[in-house]
């Protein structure tokens, strides 16, 4: 049991002694009952000795709603307001329950008895502590929350009746007669001078309601997630009797004020002494409320942790279990109840239920609410293409966007607008609102599905089984042709592939595919050094003319293209240096497909030693990781020659030394032979991979086969 000497409960005893007017003293003697330290155990035991609950249940929440409505409606500022029909209807909905009405019939006598007891004691005078103990004995068979709510209800009845008569006495003859007997016209006429007292009364009632809500909330905590021996819960249980005691003491103080309003003239009522009494009690209850709220917050966090752990383990078990369809899994991930429609159909712009996904292949697009525009643009294009041929097998899937947000970060109006703007761009299904996703589900997605920051695409089959933890790399490489996005399908697609320009360009630019079909020589080049680009393109055109070959130059920039690449595109176009993609999305897609190829091969266990395509991918990524330019010359499906910026430029500059071999070997073969003569054993290759990727422990150099050193790089590019 908590000691009544706790600072939260002893504030009143530390106040100065107040000299009351003589005619107030007979109303409530010793209202400020100071407890010395030696009295604490005695008083605590007295409070506990009154408690003998018999297990009866009371719907305290509904009664508290009624009390709250009475107190909010019964103030000087609101008694002259008109009726609010919407408010009355809402209150009717909360209380118009047969069981609740029957319970109130049984409790009406008890509430009236409490009201009479308080009114009589206040009118006749008496010790506040003794009267409070008497009330506790009267309510001994009830739980602590029921005791305080029923006592509060008795005050609400008297307080509400007082102000109801004040509200209608000018238009109702019966109310007018009662108001005259209660001196109400005199009170209302001098309401300005009584303002301090009314304010103190209103503030104390607010404090009583706050403490009572806390007591009720503690009683309503789910026992399956928190036990009485939990530290915060045990502290709250120990403090509850004292909190109830002081709330009931405050009820009597308020009742005493109502009696004094009726019993004396406005000259006496103008005194601020009693208002100070109410303020002191309000301060004590505020301290108690603050202490209880801290414990309630700890308890709620404990409950949340346990509930999230339960939901998390349920998810783990569900994904380990076979199901007839995918609906149970989808409900666990998105929203488990049937009270709302949790999905938004981006194509029809309306909300729908999860049933639209039953027994379908579902691709869960998981990201935060700031999904990159490039990824969304490409995904939208692929999705719409799959919808154009719905009878094909690769079109038999649905996409659902699951936005992941930090629950600890406030959800602002600006974030809401960002979310809605992003959702409006998606033609597939989306979760109606991020708040629907449970914290335990977010934890599961992060820990089991390895979601961090970069979007992932988790594939569920019609039975809800996970067939791919992230199909984005397959989607970037092959689009919907990768359906059903399984590892076996991924492996089969790679077996059909060879290292060729079509693999690099597929789905990006049909113009280049046409050049390939026409048998032209094509040079794909990149980098950010504009001076090198000018030298290289000019030299390449001179060599092409000398070798009499049809050459097309294509600038593909750099991965994660930014302002420098954009400026290069503008310059290349204005100076007509070569062909280039005007939008950065195409450049981004070119490089993200290469990264996806690397990731796909890595997932399948491929290395540069056992997979020639993997070696070529690593070489291209090392080109991008260097600070200089690079170029890849190709013709047809298999012929290629490539090199870093200075090496390839040197080879072109020295064309006269190897042009004699062009007629015999062909341009690309002759170029490769010359590049080999320029090769030195000294090199410095770098591969820059996104920090959100699952980086392997060992990566070998595509040029020499040695294990590469691993560094961590933090980059901030504002160009």
């Amino acid at each position: 049991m908590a000691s009544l000497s706790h600072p939260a409960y002893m504030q009143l005893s530390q106040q100065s002694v107040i000299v009351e007017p003589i005619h107030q003293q007979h109303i409530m003697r010793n209202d400020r009952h100071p407890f010395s330290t030696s009295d604490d155990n005695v008083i605590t035991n007295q409070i506990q000795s009154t408690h003998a609950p018999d297990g009866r249940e009371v719907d305290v929440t509904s009664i508290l709603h009624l009390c709250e409505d009475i107190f909010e409606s019964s103030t000087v500022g609101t008694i002259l307001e008109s009726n609010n029909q919407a408010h009355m209807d809402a209150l009717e909905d909360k209380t118009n329950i047969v069981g609740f009405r029957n319970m109130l019939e049984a409790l009406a006598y008890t509430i009236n008895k409490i009201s009479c007891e308080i009114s009589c004691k206040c009118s006749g005078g008496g010790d506040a502590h003794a009267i409070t103990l008497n009330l506790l004995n009267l309510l001994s068979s009830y739980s602590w929350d029921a005791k305080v709510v029923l006592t509060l209800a008795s005050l609400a009845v008297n307080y509400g009746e007082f102000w109801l008569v004040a509200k209608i006495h000018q238009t109702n003859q019966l109310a007018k007669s009662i108001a005259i007997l209660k001196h109400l016209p005199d009170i209302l006429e001098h309401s300005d001078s009584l303002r301090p007292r009314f304010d103190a009364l209103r503030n104390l009632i607010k404090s009583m309601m706050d403490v009572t809500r806390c007591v009720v909330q503690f009683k309503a905590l789910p026992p399956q997630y928190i036990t009485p021996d939990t530290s915060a819960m045990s502290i709250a249980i120990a403090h509850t009797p004292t909190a109830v005691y002081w709330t009931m003491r405050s009820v009597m103080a308020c009742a005493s004020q109502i009696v004094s309003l009726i019993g004396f003239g406005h000259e006496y009522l103008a005194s601020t002494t009693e208002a100070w009494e109410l303020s002191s009690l309000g301060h004590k209850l505020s301290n108690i409320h603050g202490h209880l709220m801290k414990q309630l917050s700890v308890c709620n966090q404990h409950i949340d942790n346990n509930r999230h752990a339960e939901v998390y383990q349920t998810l783990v078990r569900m994904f380990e279990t076979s199901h007839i369809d995918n609906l149970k899994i989808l409900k666990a991930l998105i929203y488990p109840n049937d009270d709302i429609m949790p999905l938004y159909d981006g194509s029809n712009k309306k909300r729908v239920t999860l049933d639209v996904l039953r027994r379908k292949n579902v691709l869960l697009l998981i990201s935060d609410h700031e999904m990159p525009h490039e990824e969304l643009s490409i995904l939208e294009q692929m999705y719409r293409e799959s919808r154009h041929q719905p009878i094909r097998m690769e079109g038999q899937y649905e996409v659902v966007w699951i936005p992941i947000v930090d629950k600890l970060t406030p959800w602002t109006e600006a974030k809401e607008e960002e979310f809605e703007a992003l959702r409006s761009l998606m033609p597939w299904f989306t979760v109606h609102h991020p708040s629907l996703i449970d914290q335990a589900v977010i934890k599961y997605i992060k820990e089991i599905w390895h979601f961090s920051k970069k979007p992932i695409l988790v594939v569920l089959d019609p039975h809800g089984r996970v067939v791919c933890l992230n199909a984005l790399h397959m989607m970037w490489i092959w689009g919907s042709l990768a359906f059903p996005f399984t590892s076996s399908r991924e492996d089969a697609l790679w077996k059909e592939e060879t290292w060729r320009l079509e693999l690099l360009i597929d789905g990006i630019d049909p113009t280049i595919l046409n050049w390939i079909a026409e048998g032209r020589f094509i040079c794909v080049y990149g980098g950010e050094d504009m001076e090198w680009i000018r030298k290289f393109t000019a030299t390449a055109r001179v060599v092409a003319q000398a070798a009499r070959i049809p050459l097309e130059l294509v600038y593909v920039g750099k991965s994660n293209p930014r302002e420098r690449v954009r400026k290069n595109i503008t310059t290349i176009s204005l100076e007509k240096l070569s062909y280039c993609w005007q939008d950065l999305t195409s450049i981004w897609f070119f490089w993200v497909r290469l990264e996806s190829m690397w990731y796909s091969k890595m997932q399948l266990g491929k290395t540069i030693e056992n997979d020639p395509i993997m070696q070529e991918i690593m070489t291209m990524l090392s080109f991008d990781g260097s600070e200089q330019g690079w170029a890849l010359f190709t013709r047809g499906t298999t012929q290629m020659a490539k090199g870093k910026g200075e090496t390839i430029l040197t080879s072109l500059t020295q064309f006269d030394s190897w042009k004699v071999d062009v007629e015999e070997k062909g341009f690309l073969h002759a170029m490769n032979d010359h590049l080999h003569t320029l090769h030195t054993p000294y090199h410095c290759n770098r591969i820059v991979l996104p920090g959100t990727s699952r980086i392997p422990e060992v990566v070998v150099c595509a040029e020499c086969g040695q294990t590469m050193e691993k560094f961590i790089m933090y980059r901030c590019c504002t160009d």
Side-chain angles (χ1 to χ4, degrees), residues 423-479:
R423 187 183 68 176
S424 67
L425 300 175
M426 298 181 178
W428 45 74
F429 295 107
T430 68
V431 172
H432 172 64
H433 196 272
S435 60
L436 296 181
I437 307 300
D438 192 273
Q439 186 64 41
V441 174
I442 295 176
K443 179 183 177 183
Y444 183 90
I445 288 173
K446 289 182 176 180
E447 293 186 359
I448 305 300
W449 291 351
H450 308 294
F451 170 75
S452 176
K453 172 73 175 175
K454 196 171 183 179
I456 61 174
L457 194 65
V458 179
V459 181
L460 304 180
D461 72 5
H463 299 283
R465 291 175 300 216
V466 176
V467 297
C468 183
L469 282 176
N470 189 7
L472 267 183
H473 59 280
M474 280 191 269
M475 187 69 85
W476 295 147
I477 301 169
W478 298 291

Side-chain angles (χ1 to χ4, degrees), residues 5 38 70 88 91 123 134 152 158 175 244 287 399 401 427 430 499 509 546 554 561 589 620 714:
S5 63
S38 61
I70 291 171
M88 295 172 65
L91 183 65
S123 299
N134 187 54
L152 205 59
N158 288 336
V244 169
N287 287 338
V399 177
W401 179 42
T430 68
W499 184 249
D509 191 342
V554 181
F589 192 38
M620 291 291 291
Y714 295 93

